[in-house]
Amino acid sequence: MEMNDFRLDGKIALVTGASYGIGFAIATAFAKAGATIVFNDIKQELVDKGLASYKELGIKAYGFVCDVTNEEAVTNLVKEIEEKIGTIDILVNNAGIIKRIPMIEMSAKDFRQVIDIDLNGPFICSKAVIPSMIKKGHGKIINICSMMSELGRETVSAYAAAKGGLKMLTKNIASEYGKYNIQCNGIGPGYIATPQTAPLREIQPDGSRHPFDSFIIAKTPAERWGNAEDLQGPAVFLASDASNFVNGHILYVDGGILAYIGKQPQ
Ligand code: NAP
Ligand code: GCO
């Protein structure tokens, strides 16, 4: 093994939904490791915001407006990237939403929207990039799963179903395309402080921590929420040649929460 195996020089990475949050952190780490960054978001103003944020870090990124649930738009995006920038070596299926609604109060429409973005989106994007990866003789797909790929909790039925499905889609892509030197793995973040989890960390009217915030601290051996930067090293590893024999694996980056029964209430 050479330490260069952990580098991404000369690689083109598409990170979906990467104007900010976890996707942005992963993309910036890829850029620092030498990759060319391409990202998409669903609104032009978000893409512009993302481009400005990357530029502030000295990163020349390429941004596109594209909804990951729109197969024609994704196919055209991949074609445009291949024509203008080059073949995609690394795909990170990061774009995702969550709706926190008690299941029996959730409309089928809301349930379907979460499944569409969080599970169909990764299917559509992976299907679009794999043919060129096969031609090129290598490829890396990283699916951003979740603790909810393993555990349930109240109000997140659609999200858990999607992320559980994404875990198995990861294993299936690994199984079906491993022979073409394509590795497909997942990253399962724990509770990460991003806009998506902001409602769970809101300071209460009396100035106290949100009950869920305190709950997560008690359930996490690291006794803290994760931050998006905690995911950067694992993502670079799974995107690099250093992980060429790692396939179908979900790497949980959760501060130990999945291993821990939780702190005894005082
Ligand atoms: P976030 O802050 O909500 O960012 C999600 C990004 O995806 C946003 O830029 C969003 O754009 C974009 N997006 C949403 N729907 C899209 C679509 N149809 N097509 C393209 N882009 C779309 O979320 P995050 O916390 O960074 O999470 C990123 C990923 O990590 C998600 O898959 C999430 O499920 C997963 N995850 C998060 C945590 C956590 O604790 N934060 C833990 C485990 C896993 P808009 O702003 O327009 O919606
Ligand atoms: C929630 C949170 C979680 C995190 C993450 C945990 O409401 O429980 O949003 O789902 O986003 O997925 O790994």
Side-chain angles (χ1 to χ4, degrees), residues 183-205:
Q183 291 84 47
C184 181
N185 293 287
I187 286 178
Y191 278 86
I192 311 297
T194 70
Q196 191 243 48
T197 56
L200 306 175
R201 290 175 282 108
E202 274 171 5
I203 297 299
Q204 303 299 284

Side-chain angles (χ1 to χ4, degrees), residues 34-50:
T36 297
I37 300 307
V38 186
F39 73 101
N40 69 298
D41 233 307
I42 40 183
K43 299 173 207 131
Q44 187 61 54
E45 58 268 29
L46 264 181
V47 171
D48 295 342
K49 168 179 177 275

Side-chain angles (χ1 to χ4, degrees), residues 1-63:
M1 181 206 83
E2 303 296 332
M3 289 315 291
N4 267 349
D5 290 347
F6 289 89
R7 296 278 311 166
L8 303 178
D9 300 290
K11 299 288 174 62
I12 295 169
L14 170 60
V15 185
T16 66
S19 296
Y20 59 89
I22 287 172
F24 179 81
I26 289 175
T28 57
F30 283 4
K32 287 174 185 169
T36 297
I37 300 307
V38 186
F39 73 101
N40 69 298
D41 233 307
I42 40 183
K43 299 173 207 131
Q44 187 61 54
E45 58 268 29
L46 264 181
V47 171
D48 295 342
K49 168 179 177 275
L51 287 169
S53 301
Y54 287 111
K55 189 175 179 184
E56 273 176 31
L57 297 176
I59 298 169
K60 161 105 182 73
Y62 297 85

Side-chain angles (χ1 to χ4, degrees), residues 98 100 146-148 153 156 159 189-191 196-197 200 212:
I98 192 167
R100 300 182 183 96
S146 161
M147 281 177 44
M148 274 56 214
R153 83 173 185 88
V156 296
Y159 184 82
Y191 278 86
Q196 191 243 48
T197 56
L200 306 175
F212 195 87

Side-chain angles (χ1 to χ4, degrees), residues 80-99:
E80 186 175 359
I81 292 169
E82 290 179 350
E83 286 169 355
K84 292 182 179 174
I85 307 165
T87 303
I88 295 164
D89 300 290
I90 303 158
L91 168 66
V92 179
N93 286 307
N94 168 76
I97 65 166
I98 192 167
K99 290 180 183 282

